[in-house]
Amino acid sequence: MAEVVKSSSRGQVALIQVDNPPVNALSQAVRQGLSDCLERALADAAIEAIVIACEGRTFIAGADIREFGKPHQPPALPAVIDTIEASPKPVVAAIHGTALGGGLEVALGCHFRVGVASAKCGLPEVKLGLLPGAGGTQRLPRLIGAEKALDMIVSGEPIDAAQAHELGLLDAVIDGELVDGAVAFAQQVVGEGRGLRRLSQLPVPACDPNLFEGYRQQIATKKRGFEAPARCIDTVQAAVELPFAEGVVKERELFEGLRAGDQSRAQRHVFFAEREVAKIPDVPKDTPTREVASVGIVGAGTMGGGIAMACANAGLQVTLLDREMSLVEGRLKAIAESYQSSAKRGRMGQAEAEARIARIAGADDYAALASVDLVIEAVFEEMEIKKTVFKQLDAVCKPGAILATNTSTLDVNEIAAATGRPQDVIGLHFFSPANIMRLLEIVRGDHTDKSVIATAMKLSRTLDKIGVLVGVCHGFVGNRILYPYRREALFLVEEGASPQQVDRVITDFGLPMGPFAMSDLAGLDIGWRVRKAQGKPEGERYSGTIADRLCEAGHFGQKTGQGFYRYEAGSRVPKPYPELQSLVEEVSRELGIERREISDEEILKRCIYPMINEGYKILDEGIALRASDIDIVWINGYGFPAYRGGPMFYGELEGLDRVHATICEYRDQHGALWEPSPLLAKAAAEAAESR
Ligand code: T1G
């Protein structure tokens, strides 16, 4: 196996270089190599100083996350770092790329740290449901103070070289070749006889004793449900209150507790799942893509406007088209106000705001789209209207232009068939607000060309979104899973629960909103229109009775001030109201349902398990490439808590055999809507065997 840690020397300076692509993760071999090379350098009388650097694109980017589920293998990283720090010879870390996690902890064990101007330093363990477990929570506060250390450790966000230098995390920013600069720095340290700064021996600079309690309150809402952020605060507080030796014991104890927990397992699953979505078996990485520098958007509604902003934010030239110029001008005005407001709040510079506004032009004639590289249709969710738009695009757009529909449920193949170029048609399903939500469902039609798929995946990265390739079915992946979730929530209210009880159970589980508050936000009239068009399903229990009654009375949710909840003027706070309860009880009576107390546990299972079952049906039909893609859709499109890994991973945490057994019970109680997916049954049997 290629050497993952190499040593050489530059005069009296030993150069230890990690070479473990792609990110120089601290695998067992790297830890062993570092330890061996250090030992040799320390034993070599001719060596006066040591530089630790990395080959490839980055300094060490952390522990090897793939090793976490396996038994510890020596040498342990803290031991390697302690050896570095105890060295009687100065050790200098030479940082480029991103020194992250255990990588930064290795650098903190060094006596000095230098980096190039483009380098970044961070402790992102909290994003994996962990905390820095190799002394970082104890050494960093000793170097930059508790408050700055808290910011880095609890946010998990890296800082750039300039900030790091200003904080003292970097002793120098190297112009020119990094290793040369680091060796020169080491020689200077030796030449000047500079003392070795061992962070473990420094006191933590004095800080406000209320810092930690204040920080806990500060993150309570934003990090609701996550365990790791609070534990991160505990470890930094330990750094302030305990001697180093006791502080690292506390750190290790809290780290191991998180590492073994479900939340970190889930968040590590999400880390890899977010990278898997880009891997499409029959569309390899080197598939040619088409240039996308200009985008036409058809439909100046809320979605069209959001998509226009998402594209302008990414530097693309945008033409926003609608049949009435007054509609376009109204939307352009709203977009300009949004950017100006962001500039006023300091979210972006005034010049950047104006540049983005300037990138979006208006039009009311399809001829304006003749030369664009990509068109995204975002008109009314009605098939005939969409087909008319695509016929016009087919007549106007240049050969090779990509024609995309933002439909959230409709058949992309039927839309593509309205053109003479189905190979250039694809679905780009943005989530509202389109300039904020990270998820982009990329819907592959039967004839969609591979270059179009590859271009769409690349576009998702350009827009700083997560693109997930899905197949054609009603609702694709996200909304298809939403239907049974919402259906069961409505049934539970007909059977005895209240909307607020269901919403509380779901928000306690970790979603940002429950199904009823979410319906009120989206607008009850949207689903009402679809139900009226589709008609009541034959032979199965109808879930729309209560929602229909509300819509028939003109109660569409927030937009009318009343839906499942009432909203005071100007307020978005949902408030229960007695007339809703009377309506619900009336519907239960009409349906002959004896209302009963329903437990929170039943509510949770009846809302979440159908999502898992639908996910297995989606997999079985090939609508999603892998279960983890479904998790990414629901985490990024609907706020499923990352610390539960997504609906499919959550099913594994629950035990698929238990999930399957419960679904079978509900089928026996509530009928065929609960019929388990055969693929789930198979996975459940395998889970039972492996138990
Ligand atoms: N371990 C294992 N694999 C990793 C990895 C890691 N730490 N980081 C990246 N990879 C893989 C990744 O899965 C992908 O694989 C490939 O490398 C390229 O990654 C003890 C406990 C460094 C900013 O959390 O943030 O240290 O898909 O696509 O966009 O206290 O990777 O090609 O097969 O993301 O250029 C802390 C995680 C660990 C950093 C580069 N460190 N990595 O981004 O490439 S815990 C992290 C990143 C720890 C200590 C604790 C990013 C990156 P594949 P990529 P990129």
Side-chain angles (χ1 to χ4, degrees):
M1 184 169 88
E3 248 188 330
V4 290
V5 183
K6 300 177 285 196
S7 61
S8 58
S9 61
R10 300 276 188 91
Q12 281 73 38
V13 178
L15 176 57
I16 299 175
Q17 288 181 291
V18 178
D19 185 10
N20 183 31
V23 297
N24 289 314
L26 283 157
S27 62
Q28 189 280 335
V30 169
R31 299 194 303 274
Q32 190 60 60
L34 275 173
S35 179
D36 297 346
C37 291
L38 268 167
E39 194 179 330
R40 278 199 295 276
L42 293 175
D44 183 342
I47 293 300
E48 296 177 330
I50 299 163
V51 167
I52 296 177
C54 290
E55 299 277 17
R57 59 179 168 155
T58 178
F59 191 76
I60 302 165
D64 188 329
I65 306 171
R66 296 180 200 281
E67 287 186 356
F68 284 145
K70 301 169 191 156
H72 276 303
Q73 290 179 301
L77 183 58
V80 175
I81 294 171
D82 289 347
T83 307
I84 294 170
E85 189 177 64
S87 160
K89 302 175 183 178
V91 185
V92 179
I95 297 172
H96 73 293
T98 51
L100 298 175
L104 183 56
E105 290 175 299
V106 165
L108 288 169
C110 298
H111 307 113
F112 303 95
R113 287 153 295 280
V114 300
V116 292
S118 56
K120 290 190 174 181
C121 300
L123 292 171
E125 290 89 338
V126 69
K127 295 180 179 178
L128 298 169
L130 297 167
L131 53 82
T137 67
Q138 306 302 304
R139 287 191 171 91
L140 190 62
R142 285 171 163 79
L143 181 59
I144 66 173
E147 186 163 7
K148 292 293 181 200
L150 270 177
D151 289 343
M152 285 185 70
I153 294 168
V154 175
S155 72
E157 293 304 322
I159 60 174
D160 63 26
Q163 291 166 293
H165 191 213
E166 193 183 328
L167 287 173
L169 184 49
L170 286 183
D171 297 288
V173 176
I174 303 293
D175 291 329
E177 208 283 325
L178 172 61
V179 169
D180 294 348
V183 169
F185 185 92
Q187 288 164 337
Q188 190 183 347
V189 165
V190 171
E192 292 168 358
R194 228 192 277 188
L196 304 188
R197 191 177 43 179
R198 297 189 173 92
L199 295 179
S200 62
Q201 294 170 3
L202 297 182
V204 179
C207 69
D208 174 354
N210 301 318
L211 171 67
F212 302 102
E213 206 34 55
Y215 225 91
R216 287 187 180 94
Q217 285 160 23
Q218 187 184 318
I219 65 162
T221 307
K222 188 159 176 273
K223 300 285 185 180
R224 182 172 71 90
F226 286 91
E227 289 165 10
R231 300 294 77 73
C232 286
I233 297 172
D234 295 345
T235 52
V236 177
Q237 186 165 5
V240 171
E241 296 173 352
L242 300 173
F244 181 84
E246 292 174 38
V248 286
V249 169
K250 180 83 175 169
E251 173 192 88
R252 179 52 48 174
E253 170 201 317
L254 294 178
F255 171 80
E256 288 299 344
L258 289 173
R259 189 174 79 105
D262 283 347
Q263 287 205 1
S264 182
R265 281 180 59 205
Q267 289 175 256
R268 299 193 309 259
H269 158 75
V270 172
F271 174 85
F272 290 114
E274 282 184 337
R275 288 154 178 81
E276 283 304 298
V277 294
K279 297 171 187 173
I280 303 164
D282 68 335
V283 182
K285 250 186 181 170
D286 60 358
T287 302
T289 57
R290 300 181 193 179
E291 191 204 4
V292 177
S294 57
V295 183
I297 294 164
V298 180
T302 309
M303 283 309 287
I307 297 167
M309 292 180 72
C311 294
N313 294 346
L316 302 176
Q317 287 302 332
V318 179
T319 303
L320 179 62
L321 178 140
D322 209 303
R323 61 190 184 292
E324 300 285 337
M325 200 58 193
S326 59
L327 294 172
V328 177
E329 282 158 0
R331 184 57 59 189
L332 291 178
K333 183 169 175 289
I335 289 170
E337 285 165 0
S338 171
Y339 279 126
Q340 294 295 5
S341 155
S342 296
K344 279 202 193 78
R345 287 203 298 267
R347 289 201 181 147
M348 69 176 71
Q350 184 58 34
E352 178 56 29
E354 285 164 12
R356 294 185 187 188
I357 293 166
R359 287 191 198 116
I360 306 174
D364 59 358
D365 180 339
Y366 274 84
L369 304 184
S371 59
V372 298
D373 303 316
L374 161 70
V375 180
I376 302 171
E377 166 272 313
V379 299
F380 209 64
E381 190 70 356
E382 208 285 312
M383 182 55 85
E384 290 315 309
I385 297 176
K386 290 187 184 300
K387 287 161 91 169
T388 304
V389 167
F390 273 77
K391 283 191 179 80
Q392 287 177 280
L393 294 174
D394 193 22
V396 164
C397 294
K398 69 184 181 185
I402 293 174
L403 309 182
T405 170
N406 172 55
T407 182
S408 57
T409 59
L410 300 177
D411 185 336
V412 172
N413 291 321
E414 190 177 340
I415 293 170
T419 74
R421 43 176 131 177
Q423 72 281 3
D424 295 336
V425 177
I426 194 166
L428 292 180
H429 176 212
F430 289 80
F431 283 71
S432 184
N435 55 311
I436 305 290
M437 295 296 282
R438 287 196 70 205
L439 180 65
L440 180 63
E441 275 186 323
I442 297 171
V443 190
R444 175 181 197 163
D446 294 343
H447 302 289
T448 303
D449 189 274
K450 292 183 180 182
S451 68
V452 173
I453 294 169
T455 306
M457 294 305 284
K458 185 178 172 188
L459 177 72
S460 66
R461 289 190 292 278
T462 304
L463 300 179
D464 192 23
K465 291 183 180 289
I466 292 189
V468 182
L469 189 67
V470 299
V472 175
C473 70
H474 188 77
F476 315 127
V477 170
N479 283 342
R480 175 165 165 181
I481 287 177
L482 185 62
Y483 300 142
Y485 160 70
R486 271 202 182 134
R487 178 196 74 213
E488 284 306 310
L490 286 159
F491 286 159
L492 284 158
V493 169
E494 288 179 356
E495 294 169 29
S498 66
Q500 52 272 27
Q501 182 190 6
V502 174
D503 280 359
R504 172 182 54 74
V505 168
I506 295 300
T507 49
D508 286 352
F509 177 74
L511 273 87
M513 287 177 117
F516 296 103
M518 191 162 88
S519 297
D520 272 1
L521 174 66
L524 303 183
D525 48 327
I526 296 169
W528 186 39
R529 195 179 304 118
V530 171
R531 289 194 299 276
K532 284 194 290 186
Q534 286 177 343
K536 292 189 177 179
E538 286 298 314
E540 73 177 47
R541 185 177 170 189
Y542 180 63
S543 63
T545 307
I546 297 172
D548 291 351
R549 295 284 166 82
L550 287 169
C551 290
E552 284 151 15
H555 302 317
F556 297 159
Q558 285 193 20
K559 62 174 81 171
T560 60
Q562 186 171 318
F564 285 103
Y565 298 97
R566 189 167 278 157
Y567 302 85
E568 278 151 32
S571 164
R572 305 176 73 137
V573 177
K575 293 202 182 317
Y577 61 103
E579 294 81 353
L580 189 280
Q581 190 55 28
S582 315
L583 165 63
V584 164
E585 287 166 5
E586 181 189 318
V587 167
S588 302
R589 270 195 306 278
E590 283 174 19
L591 297 174
I593 295 171
E594 183 72 29
R595 292 182 68 78
R596 62 187 171 88
E597 275 297 304
I598 300 180
S599 69
D600 288 358
E601 187 195 1
E602 180 180 345
I603 288 172
L604 186 62
K605 286 181 176 170
R606 288 219 7 219
C607 286
I608 304 297
Y609 285 14
M611 297 166 74
I612 300 167
N613 197 30
E614 201 64 34
Y616 275 93
K617 291 177 186 172
I618 285 168
L619 276 180
D620 219 1
E621 295 166 27
I623 299 294
L625 286 171
R626 51 187 82 84
S628 59
D629 282 11
I630 297 170
D631 289 334
I632 294 303
V633 165
W634 258 77
I635 287 168
N636 292 282
Y638 304 81
F640 199 98
Y643 59 79
R644 298 190 191 275
M648 306 302 274
F649 190 82
Y650 176 68
E652 293 183 29
L653 288 178
E654 285 284 277
L656 287 173
D657 48 342
R658 296 193 193 101
V659 172
H660 177 255
T662 303
I663 286 174
C664 290
E665 282 168 28
Y666 288 149
R667 175 202 50 207
D668 298 343
Q669 286 172 40
H670 301 286
L673 282 175
W674 279 95
E675 192 58 44
S677 145
L679 189 60
L680 170 58
K682 182 168 173 289
E686 287 161 6
E689 271 163 36
S690 64
R691 194 179 290 287

